[in-house]
Amino acid sequence: MNRKTFLKQSSCASLGILLSSLYSNAFSFSDKKDVIIGHGTHRYKVDMNWGNLDPTRTPVKDCHEMVQDSKGRIVLLTNHTKNNIIIYDKSGKLLETWGTGFPGGHGLTLCKENGEDFLLITDYERHQIIKTTIDGKIVFELDYPKDTGKYDRKEDFKPTETTVLENGDFYVADGYGNQYITHYNHKGELLNIFGGRGTGDSQFLNAHGICYDNRDKDNPSLLITAREMNILKRFSLDGDYLSSVPVPGALICRPVVHKNHIYFAVLKSKNAPNSDSGFLLIMNHKNQVVSCPGATAPTYQDQNLEELYQTIRLFQHPHDVCIDDDENVYVAQWNSGQTYPIKLIRT
């Protein structure tokens, strides 16, 4: 089933799902039958046609992540090796494709050096981080951090995400491997390693996503998701644990900081009977969840967030979000029947 057919069927079927007041305001129709999702100030109209391409010419497999480059283009990473990178304009028009060598392409981060755009790609099948120009020329390939003593073999290193500082330093989250966070300078030279597998404050179960948070200019930090634990963790740039934000019921992927908010794709609802039970989650600057497009309205009891659930079968394993300069959100999805990204238009 293609994405367009799936969404049309889901839109009709979803009315039968909303049977409880628990799910109020998660989904509604306007007079023009537009699908509107979200809560409060962060509500969105679903664009069911954005980015659809001819799958015989420009196929996708898992659409893992998306970023916006300096030209305003939307860059998608898929692990289909016919075209790992697909570049759209904001209207969904295909501009170009490149890349055939990233079978485990997973993490995609934009970095800028002297006014030029570069990409950091993590590939968990190659066990590498690859830096490229925006048009696909390889700058360097970084192998597993053998010298740390934390890895006996390259197969133990399955990186899922990177984030970049203003000075070019970058961090790598090994979310599918041994769960360490490695810190490198702009040349790819190792500076630090921290974390590791476990349930302690400074450890992770599925350190899936990492993001540099500079909203507090005096105290920048790292946001790292412990996805299986339903927790967002904050660390200093030196790797010291600072605090945690529980998000009950939400298997959160990469945190994406945009202005004063943090956006997440939620792969699935923890206790939902269907595995493709994901939604989106938006936090404000106080780390309070203010909107969950596709899920229950966020509710707090005694300052504790109530468990979140999918309420509309719109998303299938959403894996990343990209927020453009018009506040629209693009959603890339994993294991979704080879569907193209979904665009949510801010209302």
Side-chain angles (χ1 to χ4, degrees):
M1 181 187 301
N2 63 36
R3 206 275 311 275
K4 185 175 181 181
T5 301
F6 165 77
L7 288 177
K8 285 183 177 179
Q9 292 180 358
S10 297
S11 299
C12 296
S14 63
L15 292 177
I17 297 173
L18 309 180
L19 300 177
S20 168
S21 60
L22 176 66
Y23 299 151
S24 63
N25 297 323
F27 177 82
S28 64
F29 282 103
S30 74
D31 291 338
K32 295 182 179 180
K33 305 300 182 183
D34 288 331
V35 181
I36 307 294
I37 59 175
H39 310 93
T41 59
H42 288 74
R43 294 167 62 84
Y44 302 89
K45 180 175 72 172
V46 179
D47 185 339
M48 298 183 178
N49 299 306
W50 189 89
N52 283 328
L53 302 172
D54 181 349
T56 64
R57 296 186 177 185
T58 315
V60 294
K61 189 178 177 184
D62 299 312
C63 293
H64 274 131
E65 294 199 336
M66 305 177 78
V67 296
Q68 185 175 31
D69 71 6
S70 295
K71 296 179 180 179
R73 305 180 305 172
I74 305 301
V75 184
L76 167 69
L77 174 67
T78 172
N79 53 4
H80 199 298
T81 53
K82 184 175 181 178
N83 37 234
N84 285 125
I85 294 291
I86 298 173
I87 301 179
Y88 296 96
D89 68 12
K90 288 194 295 184
S91 73
K93 178 183 176 182
L94 176 65
L95 299 177
E96 63 179 282
T97 66
W98 57 262
T100 60
F102 307 114
H106 187 280
L108 183 69
T109 302
L110 183 77
C111 50
K112 302 178 183 180
E113 297 177 10
N114 300 317
E116 185 177 356
D117 285 355
F118 294 87
L119 297 173
L120 284 175
I121 297 171
T122 65
D123 190 308
Y124 57 78
E125 289 195 16
R126 290 175 49 168
H127 315 287
Q128 286 184 320
I129 300 96
I130 303 96
K131 182 178 182 180
T132 76
T133 61
I134 196 67
D135 58 357
K137 298 181 178 65
I138 302 294
V139 177
F140 66 64
E141 298 173 346
L142 190 64
D143 294 323
Y144 78 108
K146 181 179 180 180
D147 293 342
T148 64
K150 305 294 186 183
Y151 294 86
D152 295 328
R153 55 187 189 137
K154 69 177 184 180
E155 288 78 12
D156 295 330
F157 182 63
K158 298 179 180 180
T160 50
E161 194 61 74
T162 62
T163 194
V164 183
L165 308 187
E166 289 95 339
N167 67 358
D169 282 15
F170 62 96
Y171 298 78
V172 180
D174 182 22
Y176 291 159
N178 287 357
Q179 310 295 312
Y180 286 99
I181 310 299
T182 43
H183 177 193
Y184 299 87
N185 66 18
H186 72 283
K187 297 179 182 179
E189 298 168 335
L190 183 68
L191 301 177
N192 190 20
I193 186 168
F194 60 95
R197 187 185 305 277
T199 57
D201 285 343
S202 61
Q203 296 176 309
F204 304 95
L205 295 179
N206 195 193
H208 190 271
I210 185 169
C211 179
Y212 174 52
D213 183 3
N214 64 347
R215 291 174 297 170
D216 182 348
K217 300 299 181 183
D218 295 327
N219 295 289
S221 59
L222 300 170
L223 299 174
I224 307 172
T225 55
R227 191 168 73 179
E228 293 298 327
M229 303 165 76
N230 301 169
I231 295 174
L232 174 66
K233 298 191 177 189
R234 187 180 298 274
F235 286 77
S236 74
L237 301 185
D238 293 326
D240 297 321
Y241 169 81
L242 300 175
S243 61
S244 290
V245 181
V247 280
L251 275 73
I252 48 176
C253 297
R254 163 165 69 168
V256 177
V257 172
H258 178 76
K259 296 183 178 179
N260 288 325
H261 288 77
I262 314 169
Y263 295 71
F264 305 84
V266 177
L267 188 75
K268 62 180 180 178
S269 308
K270 184 174 184 178
N271 294 316
N274 53 304
S275 64
D276 57 340
S277 54
F279 52 92
L280 307 187
L281 187 151
I282 303 168
M283 287 183 184
N284 65 15
H285 65 288
K286 296 180 180 179
N287 298 325
Q288 298 168 328
V289 180
V290 295
S291 182
C292 293
T296 49
T299 303
Y300 285 82
Q301 294 290 340
D302 298 323
Q303 299 184 335
N304 295 314
L305 180 65
E306 297 285 289
E307 184 167 348
L308 301 167
Y309 299 90
Q310 183 194 70
T311 57
I312 171 176
R313 296 294 297 275
L314 171 64
F315 299 115
Q316 293 179 285
H317 300 116
H319 193 272
D320 189 39
V321 293
C322 172
I323 301 89
D324 70 18
D325 42 16
D326 295 319
E327 304 295 319
N328 304 313
V329 178
Y330 305 82
V331 185
Q333 301 191 109
W334 168 80
N335 191 24
S336 61
Q338 301 179 14
T339 61
Y340 296 94
I342 296 171
K343 182 176 182 178
L344 305 181
I345 302 169
R346 183 78 176 267
T347 62

